[in-house]
Amino acid sequence: MKATGHISIEEPFAGLFTQGMVTHESYRGEDGRWLYPDEVVQGDDGSAVHGETGEKVTVGRVEAMSKSKRNTVDPGAIIARFGADTARWFILSDNPPDRDMEWTEAGVVGAYRFTQRLFRLAEGVAALPARDDVPDTLSPAARSLRRATHRTILAVTEALESFAFNVAVARVYELANAIGDAEKAADSADLRWARREAMEMAARLAAPMMPHLAEEILSRLRPGGPLVAELPWPEADASLAAAESVTIAVQVMGKLRGTVDVTPEATEAKVIAAAEAEPNVARALEGKRVVKRIYVRGRIVNFVVAGGG
């Protein structure tokens, strides 16, 4: 993976995710015995009961998994049911190092549903006619999807290099949503090309967390082609990853009066002119003498008027 910045030797250890940080509810039977989560089921009235005896179960607080309290989950059972990719995806989707992660059935099922959704999106894209050349012109929908794709490449790269795996997972979710939205747009050759590019990148970016699914997806997009593991890490097109516009807050005497959208490279003079032209700001400045115009690049314009606001 291409490095995007310096990482100090302490940072990987700050990002460690240990067994003691994984939590789960604890359960006790009527005789006071601790029960494993897979021994507990939901009764007809919604309460927790023992799966075999039907006896009532007391649900304890969520705490670190412990053999003594039996509030552990066998990863082998999760993998056998949902697959290793789902198990990894769920764990990494909820692991900011500054807090514990609660292991829940709903969370695992949600991760599994996403793997199925990503595969369905890939099958839909794989059925489209393939073309290798970048279209000369792009429709608004295709351009929007390409921008989302390259922003995701940049964001996932930075997240993985800083060990923020949950952020990387979240960005792939967002790209999948963008691919799904593109399915609903008016079909065109350039949009089909953009969908294929986005789908391939989604697979390659997810590969560190879901290698098996990534390989399955790429094998459908590129039959007989290379493995994901044989490809270099994707690089974002800077012109596509850059923001098209930034929103600037406009204040008069420190009070927000409106916002303006400008290009990132807009000069201070152009930003201030746009701010003065904003209708609410123009009304707030009408009849007043501006004694100072303060511009914090990319963030705020503040007008200071004589005699106060």
Side-chain angles (χ1 to χ4, degrees):
M1 187 183 302
K2 184 178 179 180
T4 57
H6 174 70
I7 298 177
S8 69
I9 193 169
E10 294 87 359
E11 286 181 4
F13 297 99
L16 279 177
F17 188 58
T18 66
Q19 177 183 349
M21 298 169 70
V22 183
T23 64
H24 199 287
E25 291 177 332
S26 56
Y27 308 98
R28 278 198 180 198
E30 290 183 331
D31 59 0
R33 292 183 302 109
W34 295 106
L35 301 173
Y36 288 110
D38 58 9
E39 295 180 279
V40 181
V41 298
Q42 189 177 56
D44 294 336
D45 60 355
S47 62
V49 298
H50 193 288
E52 292 185 359
T53 67
E55 68 180 26
K56 292 184 178 179
V57 171
T58 300
V59 180
R61 64 189 178 88
V62 175
E63 52 190 315
M65 287 188 181
S66 163
K67 289 183 179 179
S68 63
K69 294 185 178 179
R70 296 190 172 186
N71 63 332
T72 58
V73 177
D74 179 7
I78 298 297
I79 292 171
R81 182 178 174 189
F82 298 105
D85 278 1
T86 294
R88 275 190 297 265
W89 189 254
F90 169 62
I91 292 171
L92 295 175
S93 69
D94 195 25
N95 75 326
D98 58 346
R99 68 174 177 83
D100 295 341
M101 184 200 84
E102 182 181 358
W103 187 285
T104 64
E105 177 81 2
V108 177
V109 170
Y112 178 72
R113 286 176 179 164
F114 178 72
T115 65
Q116 301 306 297
R117 182 185 178 217
L118 202 61
F119 189 73
R120 285 195 299 270
L121 287 171
E123 288 196 312
V125 171
L128 301 173
R131 56 181 291 179
D132 295 327
D133 57 313
V134 181
D136 294 331
T137 59
L138 295 174
S139 63
R143 185 168 56 252
S144 176
L145 182 55
R146 287 213 75 201
R147 295 185 70 84
T149 299
H150 287 264
R151 287 173 183 168
T152 303
I153 294 172
L154 185 62
V156 172
T157 302
E158 292 177 348
L160 292 180
E161 290 186 343
S162 61
F163 301 93
F165 299 106
N166 61 310
V167 175
V169 167
R171 299 293 85 81
V172 175
Y173 268 109
E174 291 172 359
L175 180 56
N177 289 338
I179 296 170
D181 290 341
E183 286 185 335
K184 306 168 189 175
D187 186 42
S188 61
D190 61 316
L191 181 57
R192 290 194 293 269
W193 183 92
R195 286 173 59 193
R196 183 173 288 272
E197 178 195 39
M199 194 70 247
E200 178 175 323
M201 291 305 160
R204 292 168 64 181
L205 295 172
M209 290 81 78
M210 297 193 292
H212 302 98
L213 179 61
E215 296 292 359
E216 285 291 335
I217 289 176
L218 192 66
S219 70
R220 282 160 172 74
L221 298 177
R222 295 200 204 178
L227 298 172
V228 172
E230 296 173 333
L231 296 173
W233 185 254
E235 292 192 25
D237 183 323
S239 65
L240 291 169
E244 288 185 289
S245 65
V246 293
T247 301
I248 308 294
V250 185
Q251 301 176 341
V252 176
M253 296 299 292
K255 184 176 181 179
L256 182 65
R257 296 292 184 177
T259 60
V260 293
D261 292 327
V262 298
T263 59
E265 64 276 6
T267 64
E268 179 175 345
K270 287 185 177 180
V271 173
I272 289 176
E276 289 177 332
E278 203 282 330
N280 288 337
V281 176
R283 283 192 292 271
L285 294 177
E286 188 175 1
K288 297 181 174 65
R289 182 170 63 89
V290 178
V291 296
K292 194 171 186 179
R293 296 169 175 82
I294 303 170
Y295 175 46
V296 180
R297 185 170 184 80
R299 295 180 59 192
I300 294 172
V301 172
N302 184 35
F303 295 100
V304 179
V305 299

